[in-house]
């Protein structure tokens, strides 16, 4: 990835925050289905080549008891965790990033169902 100059980042960081907030609030109001396109194309776990760039979580397929709290967590930027379909490692998904997390960390987050990737669209 090409490194941007610090000046360019400083200039746009506030704008990006504002954009993010607008996007987040719009999604929250409409309880939109979480889908995301990440900058990084693969699983954040070291050595795992699982493609996880664009994800439509299809939470609506899991019933309201799962759908509702996860949609809330998505739009309030808490995000949720799920196991990578490739390596089985926990991944914390949020609107802007995905990252590898430990079992302990995953324990404290809202969780996708175990079979989330079976119904999700992953590109
Ligand atoms: Zn993986």
């Amino acid at each position: 990835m090409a490194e941007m100059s610090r000046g360019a980042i400083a200039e746009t960081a506030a704008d990006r925050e504002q954009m993010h907030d607008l996007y987040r609030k719009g999604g929250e109001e409409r309880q939109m289905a979480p889908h995301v396109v990440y900058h990084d194309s693969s699983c954040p776990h070291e050595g795992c080549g699982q493609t996880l760039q664009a994800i439509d979580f299809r939470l609506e397929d899991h019933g309201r008891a799962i759908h509702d709290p996860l949609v809330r967590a998505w739009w309030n930027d808490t995000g949720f965790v799920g196991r990578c379909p490739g390596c089985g490692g926990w991944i914390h998904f949020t609107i802007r990033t995905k990252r590898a997390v430990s079992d302990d960390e995953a324990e404290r987050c809202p969780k996708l169902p175990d079979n989330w990737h079976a119904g999700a669209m992953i590109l």
Side-chain angles (χ1 to χ4, degrees):
M1 188 179 79
E3 188 121 310
M4 284 164 78
S5 79
R6 277 174 193 284
I9 291 169
E11 264 173 41
T12 60
D15 294 346
R16 276 207 308 269
E17 274 316 300
Q18 210 172 11
M19 283 292 294
H20 175 70
D21 274 355
L22 274 176
Y23 174 68
R24 212 175 51 67
K25 286 188 185 116
E28 196 164 43
E29 276 164 22
R30 293 180 207 101
Q31 292 290 289
M32 281 160 59
H35 52 80
V36 65
V37 180
Y38 290 116
H39 184 75
D40 302 320
S41 63
S42 61
C43 169
H45 285 277
E46 191 81 22
C48 177
Q50 174 67 46
T51 301
L52 285 172
Q53 182 149 33
I55 307 169
D56 178 350
F57 291 97
R58 299 263 174 94
L59 298 178
E60 62 276 18
D61 294 348
H62 297 284
R64 297 208 70 140
I66 287 172
H67 171 276
D68 292 0
L70 290 181
V71 168
R72 258 199 311 277
W74 181 259
W75 292 114
N76 72 20
D77 253 353
T78 302
F80 40 68
V81 296
R83 287 191 184 278
C84 168
C87 66
W90 285 109
I91 301 168
H92 182 211
F93 298 99
T94 64
I95 294 169
R96 293 193 282 192
T97 82
K98 61 178 186 291
R99 63 193 185 92
V101 292
S102 65
D103 288 358
D104 281 356
E105 236 175 316
E107 220 30 68
R108 294 192 294 269
C109 290
K111 282 188 199 60
L112 287 163
D114 290 342
N115 65 340
W116 74 271
H117 43 81
M121 175 122 81
I122 301 171
L123 299 170

